Amino acid sequence: MDFSYTEEQLLIQKTAREFALDHLAPCVINRDEKAEFPAEQIKMMGELGFMGMMIPEKWGGAEIDTIGYCIALEEINAVDASAGVIMSVNNSLVCQLLYTYANDNQKEKYLKKLASGEWLGAFSLSEPQSGSDASNMLAVAKKDNDHYIINGTKNWVSSGISCDAVIVFVMTEKGIGHKGISAFIVEKGTPGFSHGKKENKLGIRGSDTCELYFEECKVSAENLIGEEGNGFKIALGTLDGGRIGIATQALGIARAALDRSIEYANERKQFGKTISSFGAIQDKIATMATNVDASRLLIHRAAKLKDEGKPYKKEAAMAKVFASQTAMQNATDCVQIFGGYGYMQEYGVERLMRDAKITQIYEGTSEIQQLIIARTLLGNK
Ligand code: CAA
């Protein structure tokens, strides 16, 4: 087992780190305060190949493996978790879904634009009454010759306002549970497709989150992804990969909290000494660093299994639940180490605490990750 990065991985890390410091860091506090979408930076990330990293060049991507993607994603999230979630959703949920399940015509029409960063994508599964119980959805699509008519409301859609196309999961047959769910790709501007207000969130405020409304929305049957009735398996299969992305987002936040804590603890003096000389601070830093490394190892194990085409559902869930817990704990400890300064916006560490929380919630709560791990181990659905 080799834990060192290859030349290519080191280059990806350097490129992502420099981009994040040069283009995301300067206004990140301002964007967070104003809840401003980093549109210009996301375009640049597309030009760098960061928006479709795991997609073959033939379909507009950068053709890099999942570990390479995680290395870049960690760097982006260590500086700006809002840009990080936009990158993660486009890569893990949208491009990866299309690459795995779409036909060549759909790949030609949509994947090329989404993987190259020309377009931005969103993924829409949840509804007001169905979050963790994702198959309990009400949105429907009724076949009408060579079209489907979609009706329903979806919510908590990341990039729902800024996206150019969304992958939406709806019922094509009611009364048969998850076997009645199908996946469609719907372009922005399609009549009957609109979005709600930008949600005012605790964290990742630079990313936009909204409800989506489908009212007699007519979509070509060519936009059905995979087979009718296969949508739930497409969603869950895709979310396994998505969870590696969100685990990596959590890792980026956790590492930023560690780095900021070390820097501050070595500068801040109390009782005539730097606070890094106190055992209470050393304990925190040691635990933070250990959990950052453990998170990265769990993430890279899941990524490697994915690249090898082996089952990785349990490993992705373990990575997400552990890394998101680490992000929350490290961010909280970082604010604690900064003391009163940590509570002030201008030091930029209270944002880490606010951004960390969502990693325990979206793409499957920590409780759902535990359920997935337990079910896999115990063999009982
Ligand atoms: N891959 C493929 N298929 C899978 C699968 C997977 N990982 N997990 C289960 N399935 C299949 C099962 O085999 C089963 O098929 P059969 O009936 O043919 O055997 C079918 O899917 C249903 O499986 P379950 O009975 O296990 O389904 P369930 O209703 O008990 O739900 C769950 C399982 C794990 C709780 C699932 O509903 C879940 O993951 N919930 C969380 C939802 C979620 O993550 N939402 C995220 C929203 S998107 C988002 O957050 C994006 C963002 O903004 C950043």
Side-chain angles (χ1 to χ4, degrees):
M1 215 178 294
D2 185 359
F3 292 102
S4 54
Y5 287 176
T6 63
E7 286 297 313
E8 189 192 40
Q9 288 168 342
L10 287 170
L11 183 62
I12 292 169
Q13 186 182 47
K14 183 170 180 284
T15 309
R17 189 171 289 177
E18 284 174 2
F19 170 81
L21 292 175
D22 292 348
H23 300 284
L24 291 171
C27 292
V28 66
I29 292 179
N30 199 32
R31 278 196 304 277
D32 171 69
E33 183 173 346
K34 293 185 179 152
E36 190 178 295
F37 189 87
E40 194 186 312
Q41 290 83 351
I42 294 297
K43 270 278 157 252
M44 292 168 84
M45 284 161 65
E47 284 154 22
L48 284 170
F50 286 176
M51 297 307 280
M53 289 191 77
M54 297 167 287
I55 303 303
E57 284 178 14
K58 175 183 171 197
W59 298 117
E63 206 163 330
I64 284 162
D65 64 10
T66 309
I67 294 185
Y69 161 60
C70 290
I71 289 169
L73 193 59
E74 178 184 332
E75 296 306 321
I76 300 298
N77 278 290
V79 174
D80 184 348
S82 294
V85 69
I86 299 161
M87 174 176 168
S88 181
V89 166
N90 199 72
N91 275 276
S92 302
L93 297 186
V94 178
C95 292
Q96 199 65 28
L97 184 152
L98 290 173
Y99 179 57
T100 311
Y101 303 101
N103 61 37
D104 279 2
N105 288 340
Q106 293 166 336
K107 285 180 181 153
E108 188 64 42
K109 190 167 175 191
Y110 296 112
L111 182 56
K112 276 189 171 173
K113 287 183 183 157
L114 288 158
S116 64
E118 186 186 339
W119 274 20
L120 183 68
F123 175 97
S124 177
L125 179 66
S126 304
E127 294 187 4
Q129 78 296 337
S130 70
S132 293
D133 186 8
S135 68
N136 180 32
M137 59 177 66
L138 298 175
V140 291
K142 204 163 176 291
K143 187 116 196 248
D144 177 20
N145 296 314
D146 55 354
H147 285 81
Y148 285 85
I149 309 294
I150 305 182
N151 279 291
T153 297
K154 308 299 271 186
N155 69 343
W156 304 315
V157 184
S158 302
S159 302
I161 294 175
S162 301
C163 72
D164 298 283
V166 60
I167 293 166
V168 63
F169 298 88
V170 293
M171 283 281 178
T172 42
E173 191 175 344
K174 282 183 168 177
I176 55 169
H178 76 80
K179 291 187 165 60
I181 296 174
S182 303
F184 292 87
I185 183 158
V186 183
E187 283 179 52
K188 194 175 189 173
T190 306
F193 170 36
S194 61
H195 64 75
K197 68 172 172 40
K198 185 172 182 167
E199 302 288 0
N200 191 6
K201 298 178 302 211
L202 174 72
I204 55 158
R205 292 173 53 78
S207 78
D208 64 48
T209 305
C210 65
E211 291 193 331
L212 296 182
Y213 309 120
F214 296 88
E215 293 161 297
E216 296 296 308
C217 176
K218 193 172 171 186
V219 172
S220 167
E222 289 177 358
N223 289 28
L224 171 71
I225 300 167
E227 311 266 301
E228 245 194 49
N230 239 4
F232 197 55
K233 289 189 181 182
I234 293 177
L236 293 190
T238 304
L239 278 165
D240 288 338
R243 288 163 186 162
I244 296 177
I246 300 305
T248 307
Q249 172 176 51
L251 168 63
I253 296 168
R255 196 196 83 198
L258 170 67
D259 293 347
R260 295 293 309 275
S261 297
I262 292 173
E263 197 183 281
Y264 186 76
N266 276 329
E267 275 169 17
R268 173 76 171 164
K269 284 197 174 141
Q270 292 291 281
F271 306 103
K273 297 176 188 170
T274 56
I275 60 170
S276 62
S277 62
F278 298 123
I281 303 296
Q282 291 172 359
D283 276 0
K284 280 196 187 3
I285 302 263
T287 306
M288 288 163 90
T290 306
N291 289 340
V292 162
D293 280 11
S295 298
R296 190 179 295 109
L297 290 169
L298 282 171
I299 290 166
H300 288 196
R301 176 180 70 164
K304 189 160 191 294
L305 288 170
K306 175 172 173 284
D307 285 336
E308 289 171 352
K310 294 181 181 156
Y312 67 96
K313 174 169 77 170
K314 169 171 66 68
E315 288 75 10
M318 285 176 165
K320 183 176 183 288
V321 77
F322 189 83
S324 59
Q325 166 65 27
T326 299
M328 202 58 226
Q329 191 58 54
N330 280 16
T332 308
D333 284 346
C334 178
V335 171
Q336 190 69 19
I337 289 170
F338 272 66
Y341 292 111
Y343 206 67
M344 304 300 141
Q345 185 202 39
E346 67 189 282
Y347 284 81
V349 297
E350 54 82 41
R351 180 175 52 85
L352 298 176
M353 204 170 150
R354 290 187 286 102
D355 286 350
K357 187 61 205 168
I358 191 62
T359 66
Q360 294 182 304
I361 298 174
Y362 59 18
E363 297 201 26
T365 61
S366 294
E367 291 76 9
I368 290 295
Q369 305 312 317
Q370 300 284 48
L371 177 89
I372 291 169
I373 297 163
R375 278 183 179 179
T376 312
L377 291 170
L378 298 168
N380 63 352
K381 283 226 321 155

